């Protein structure tokens, strides 16, 4: 179980598979180097909180879920259960849930796990956040490695049950980014949208 959550009344959580670039994205958003990044999946095992006490606000980088080399399946399931429980228990404070996916591989991964009775982790997490009433943004990272951007994003919308074209979701749901190069403006735009909708314009300064 994840302990020691700072007592803050507004939070943005980042979820996603291991190695999709969540920690790099957090570093770009906060300008802070406390977020470990590494070639080895599963570097983040506990939530990383970056909080502003005076604003009672924080960004939280949750551990990666799904396959991790060198991590037993039982332990992967424990991590996933902890992530789900954390989000459920703090849903009222979570202003936005950001699902980070790898633009290059996400469609293949979803399709590979779409057998009968199976729901891919990414799709499941998207629906889970939505069901809890948490505004959900999909940050589609590593878009510099994608040849046909529009086709890929339309395919992703299709897999998530959103009607293409993807452009109609770019204000509030779909954010193509390249975290490594600091190209994260589309994500900031969606966060600004949701902060404004939540009547929290006081937080806009964190996503300038």
């Amino acid at each position: 179980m994840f302990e020691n959550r700072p007592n803050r009344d507004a939070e943005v959580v980042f979820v996603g598979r291991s190695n999709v670039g969540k920690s790099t994205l957090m570093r770009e958003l906060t300008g802070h180097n406390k977020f470990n990044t590494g070639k080895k999946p599963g570097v983040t095992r506990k939530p990383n909180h970056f909080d502003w006490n005076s604003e009672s606000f924080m960004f939280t980088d949750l551990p990666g879920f799904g396959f991790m080399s060198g991590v037993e399946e039982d332990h992967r399931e424990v991590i996933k259960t902890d992530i789900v429980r954390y989000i459920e228990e703090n849903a009222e404070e979570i202003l936005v849930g950001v699902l980070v996916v790898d633009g290059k591989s996400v469609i293949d991964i979803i399709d590979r796990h779409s057998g009968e009775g199976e729901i891919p982790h990414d799709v499941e997490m998207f629906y889970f956040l939505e069901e809890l009433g948490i505004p959900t943004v999909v940050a589609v990272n590593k878009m510099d490695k994608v040849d046909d951007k529009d086709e890929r994003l339309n395919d992703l919308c299709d897999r998530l049950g959103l009607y293409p074209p993807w452009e109609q979701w770019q204000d509030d749901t779909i954010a193509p980014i390249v975290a490594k190069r600091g190209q994260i403006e589309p994500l900031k735009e969606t966060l600004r949208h949701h902060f404004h909708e939540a009547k929290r314009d006081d937080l806009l300064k964190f996503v300038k």
Side-chain angles (χ1 to χ4, degrees):
M1 191 56 196
F2 302 150
E3 306 292 347
N4 305 323
R5 176 189 181 272
N7 183 20
R8 305 287 174 263
D9 63 13
E11 179 176 11
V12 176
V13 296
F14 292 78
V15 294
R17 289 178 177 276
S18 296
N19 239 21
V20 293
K22 289 195 312 305
S23 299
T24 304
L25 176 55
M26 289 286 281
R27 216 167 46 201
E28 285 298 326
L29 264 175
T30 63
H32 203 282
N33 280 328
K34 76 181 257 187
F35 302 100
N36 292 326
T37 61
K39 292 229 178 293
K40 194 174 175 199
V43 169
T44 307
R45 295 288 177 90
K46 290 183 176 175
N48 267 323
H49 304 288
F50 192 87
D51 66 315
W52 289 268
N53 196 1
S54 57
E55 312 290 339
S56 196
F57 169 69
M58 65 184 171
F59 288 121
T60 298
D61 176 21
L62 290 170
F65 56 77
F67 176 76
M68 292 172 257
S69 60
V71 179
E72 296 290 327
E73 187 173 350
D74 288 356
H75 187 61
R76 294 201 297 265
E77 282 305 311
V78 168
I79 290 173
K80 192 176 161 212
T81 302
D82 282 348
I83 291 168
V84 165
R85 196 174 294 144
Y86 180 94
I87 293 170
E88 280 179 336
E89 288 179 358
N90 300 296
E92 288 193 12
E93 283 80 40
I94 296 174
L95 293 179
V96 189
V98 180
L99 172 63
V100 187
V101 300
D102 181 332
K104 189 166 189 278
S105 61
V106 65
I107 302 300
D108 289 341
I109 288 172
I110 288 175
D111 289 353
R112 199 184 312 144
H113 294 87
S114 295
E116 196 177 328
E118 272 192 302
I119 303 175
H121 284 329
D122 303 277
V123 177
E124 186 181 30
M125 190 60 75
F126 180 76
Y127 287 146
F128 170 66
L129 290 164
E130 296 262 292
E131 275 168 23
L132 288 175
I134 296 170
T136 307
V137 173
V138 183
V140 193
N141 195 18
K142 308 185 185 183
M143 286 303 290
D144 54 325
K145 296 186 166 78
V146 173
D147 293 333
D148 192 332
K149 171 181 164 181
D150 290 332
E151 186 181 339
R152 182 64 48 91
L153 294 173
N154 285 339
D155 284 348
L156 180 58
C157 285
D158 180 62
R159 303 305 191 275
L160 295 173
L162 305 171
Y163 292 108
W166 75 271
E167 286 90 349
Q168 66 182 326
W169 303 102
Q170 65 185 347
D171 292 339
D172 57 4
T173 309
I174 301 289
I177 59 169
V178 185
K180 217 172 187 176
R181 297 183 181 174
Q183 296 168 1
I184 62 170
E185 182 55 31
L187 174 62
K188 289 182 174 180
E189 212 166 284
T190 59
L191 292 176
R192 287 195 288 266
H193 168 87
H194 289 300
F195 289 171
H196 183 66
E197 290 289 300
K199 299 185 168 49
R200 292 301 305 264
D201 284 0
D202 56 309
L203 301 178
L204 292 175
K205 62 189 173 195
F206 297 120
V207 285
K208 274 183 183 170

